Amino acid sequence: MVQVPTGSGPDQVSAAPRSARRAPIPRVGRERPTGSNFELYSWYFFRVSGLLLILLAITHVVIMHVINTVDEIDYDFVADRWNSPFWRAFDWLMLVLALLHGLNGARIAVDDYVRPRGWRVFAHSVLWSTAIIFLIIGSIAVVTFNPDAAVTAGR
Amino acid sequence: MVSWALHRLAGLGVLVFLLLHIVDIFAVGYGPEAFNDLLFIYRHPIFRAGEVILVAGLYYHALNGIRIILVDFWSKGWKYERQMFYAVVALFLIAFIPTAILMIRPLF
């Protein structure tokens, strides 16, 4: 379904009844959407996944780019790390949340900038396909990694 | 307006890197050679500079995201949008400067 543009600019004042009852206040985030359950869930998902990602992604960056650097990270580093179910679960949760959070952001940007109906349908199709394909290949990478099989596959 | 534009730009930048990163980590399943052969991309000086910019974008997006959540859910948040933006800038500098120094330490 093609959504009506919701806009996400800082001065966006929605025409929803809720905001009509009060004086319009310029805000940094989007007004909590009304009228569509999907947009409301997306709005909440953005904020909840964002909070979790602060924890997950900042931890990831500190371990991978500050304590270690890309000079030290190689196949053995990843294989060693994925020996631990904890880090596999951590990485998989981060993968899913980051991908959906990021593509949902791209979807809002598409709604803001892509006006012609055909292009909008095309852009939404690309985003949903990207979500499905990258969730699948990312999950395969994290969940099915097996050092013994990987060495054989590389030969 | 500036805070919002930076938030979107940083978010989309991190998304592009995330997609690249999923492709490279998929290569891990094909063994040490397949994965290690790709790492020249990440060790290239241009990427190392991009990596520091990536972390800057992530830090800003995280801090400004907290500000957006406070404006949305804290009843007095809308009164302090500007002050919270200054706090975002201050916390960004406090977090990013040491991080950037640590990240470029192999240069020294």
Side-chain angles (χ1 to χ4, degrees):
Chain A
M1 189 182 82
V2 176
Q3 300 290 339
V4 175
T6 49
S8 58
D11 301 322
Q12 171 81 17
V13 177
S14 103
R18 184 176 160 273
S19 55
R21 288 198 296 270
R22 330 173 176 167
I25 299 162
R27 11 179 336 122
V28 286
R30 279 185 304 150
E31 182 82 14
R32 189 183 281 113
T34 52
S36 153
N37 276 340
F38 179 78
E39 287 301 333
L40 183 66
Y41 295 143
S42 139
W43 189 91
Y44 274 108
F45 173 77
F46 246 141
R47 282 144 184 84
V48 174
S49 61
L51 278 181
L52 289 168
L53 280 167
I54 291 175
L55 203 68
L56 296 166
I58 301 289
T59 306
H60 177 78
V61 160
V62 168
I63 294 174
M64 297 301 196
H65 302 270
V66 181
I67 297 174
N68 297 285
T69 70
V70 284
D71 289 323
E72 284 119 44
I73 295 170
D74 59 5
Y75 175 84
D76 292 333
F77 185 98
V78 179
D80 188 44
R81 201 172 139 82
W82 281 355
N83 256 330
S84 147
F86 173 82
W87 287 118
R88 285 207 201 208
F90 183 103
D91 286 351
W92 188 77
L93 185 63
M94 182 167 60
L95 163 81
V96 173
L97 291 177
L99 195 57
L100 295 180
H101 183 105
L103 288 170
N104 200 26
R107 186 181 66 86
I108 303 294
V110 162
D111 283 348
D112 279 351
Y113 303 129
V114 183
R115 314 308 300 193
R117 190 180 168 86
W119 284 110
R120 191 181 277 240
V121 170
F122 173 74
H124 278 244
S125 309
V126 169
L127 291 176
W128 283 102
S129 308
T130 308
I132 293 165
I133 293 167
F134 280 75
L135 276 178
I136 291 173
I137 66 167
S139 298
I140 289 174
V142 179
V143 176
T144 70
F145 176 72
N146 172 352
D148 304 327
V151 171
T152 324
R155 283 189 186 134
Chain B
M1 181 70 200
V2 171
S3 77
W4 166 81
L6 284 174
H7 195 78
R8 174 164 287 185
L9 189 68
L12 293 175
V14 172
L15 174 64
V16 169
F17 172 74
L18 174 68
L19 296 178
L20 172 72
H21 193 29
I22 292 172
V23 172
D24 80 61
I25 206 67
F26 187 64
V28 167
Y30 293 89
E33 282 163 32
F35 183 67
N36 290 344
D37 284 354
L38 280 177
L39 290 178
F40 76 93
I41 301 171
Y42 291 124
R43 291 173 183 170
H44 191 280
I46 293 175
F47 183 82
R48 297 301 280 268
E51 191 193 4
V52 176
I53 296 168
L54 168 75
V55 171
L58 192 75
Y59 279 14
Y60 173 76
H61 196 85
L63 288 164
N64 195 56
I66 295 175
R67 172 170 166 264
I68 291 174
I69 290 172
L70 285 172
V71 170
D72 286 335
F73 292 103
W74 176 34
S75 57
K76 293 188 184 123
W78 62 274
K79 287 184 196 168
Y80 301 107
E81 282 181 18
R82 180 167 290 270
Q83 288 89 333
M84 285 196 287
F85 180 66
Y86 297 144
V88 165
V89 172
L91 290 171
F92 171 82
L93 293 173
I94 292 169
F96 178 65
I97 291 171
T99 304
I101 292 170
L102 287 168
M103 286 178 75
I104 60 171
R105 70 183 182 272
L107 290 179
F108 305 120

